[in-house]
Amino acid sequence: KQFVENWKLVPLSLKTAFKDMFWDEKKGYLADFCDDKSKDWSFRPNQIFATSLKYSVCDQEMSKSVLENTKRKLLTNRGLKTLSEDDEKFIGSYIGDQNTRDHSYHQGIVWPWLLGHFAQGYVNIFRDNALPLLEEIYNQFNSEIAEYGVGSIGEIYDAEPPFEAKGTIAQAWSISELIRIKALINKLKNN
């Protein structure tokens, strides 16, 4: 009992410290990286994890802003871009030699597996109102399952139309996050 009493203020202080370190009210999103000298304001999908967790360090308004900005800047019909197009480091196509492709991996290329955390964050904030967007995200993969790898989806996609599939033909974490989205849809429909 004394242990719980001694530590009961820690979650609140963690949320406060997190907000002070990562949040910018004017930008409406979280910094990608912070240390004692600088903050990197590149708009990346890493911040969606803070919205998808059961015990989030973000309050409702922060999460809502992060999700709305992510939807506007990163969401495609194949996943989330790893960097916003308005960033000078953005690379939209996974092409070239191995080094060039490796460099582009996290500079804009689309990753489907990030959709699961985005969807969970969306449900956490928008509840039943998240259903139309989740169904749209899920249904956009209907044709893809028959194109790149039959019964599966690709590891990554180009970040620009036509969002060509690249990388591993059948990526387990991409498929598992689509299954997670389908489970979220079913749960919302059954409530």
Side-chain angles (χ1 to χ4, degrees):
K1 185 170 176 155
Q2 184 61 41
F3 176 83
V4 172
E5 188 64 30
N6 290 342
W7 286 85
K8 74 178 184 180
L9 296 177
V10 170
L12 180 57
S13 64
L14 286 174
K15 283 187 173 190
T16 301
F18 180 87
K19 187 174 184 178
D20 291 346
M21 177 64 87
F22 287 93
W23 180 247
D24 184 298
E25 187 77 33
K26 289 179 184 162
K27 290 182 182 353
Y29 64 92
L30 300 168
D32 188 54
F33 170 81
C34 298
D35 62 21
D36 58 345
K37 297 175 188 148
S38 65
K39 295 182 182 190
D40 179 354
W41 291 104
S42 300
F43 194 89
R44 296 183 181 275
N46 302 332
Q47 59 193 312
I48 62 166
F49 295 102
T51 71
S52 68
L53 300 173
K54 185 175 182 178
Y55 301 103
S56 178
V57 291
C58 293
D59 62 36
Q60 293 279 319
E61 287 305 311
M62 289 168 61
S63 290
K64 184 178 179 183
S65 183
V66 164
L67 290 163
E68 288 175 343
N69 277 307
T70 299
K71 181 181 173 187
R72 187 171 47 81
K73 291 182 168 209
L74 303 180
L75 183 62
T76 74
N77 64 353
R78 292 294 179 251
L80 295 181
K81 296 174 192 170
T82 51
L83 182 64
S84 174
E85 284 183 43
D86 59 12
D87 193 296
E88 64 185 25
K89 298 180 296 287
F90 177 81
I91 300 171
S93 297
Y94 186 74
I95 56 174
D97 63 24
Q98 187 68 48
N99 286 337
T100 304
R101 291 191 320 269
D102 287 349
H103 178 70
S104 69
Y105 229 42
H106 300 287
Q107 300 299 83
I109 299 306
V110 172
W111 291 76
W113 77 269
L114 294 167
L115 288 171
H117 289 277
F118 175 75
Q120 183 63 63
Y122 225 79
V123 169
N124 291 350
I125 298 305
F126 298 103
R127 308 280 183 235
D128 292 346
N129 294 326
L131 184 58
L133 179 61
L134 269 58
E135 287 180 319
E136 179 183 341
I137 288 169
Y138 184 79
N139 291 333
Q140 288 175 343
F141 282 93
N142 287 339
S143 63
E144 183 61 19
I145 287 180
E147 290 175 8
Y148 190 58
V150 177
S152 192
I153 61 171
E155 173 187 16
I156 57 174
Y157 292 80
D158 285 340
E160 301 166 324
F163 304 106
E164 187 178 341
K166 305 281 177 84
T168 303
I169 289 176
Q171 188 63 34
W173 57 61
S174 296
I175 289 293
S176 66
E177 292 300 329
L178 280 182
I179 293 169
R180 177 180 176 177
I181 292 169
K182 182 61 173 164
L184 288 169
I185 290 169
N186 291 343
K187 187 174 181 180
L188 289 171
K189 284 183 171 181
N190 293 325
N191 281 342

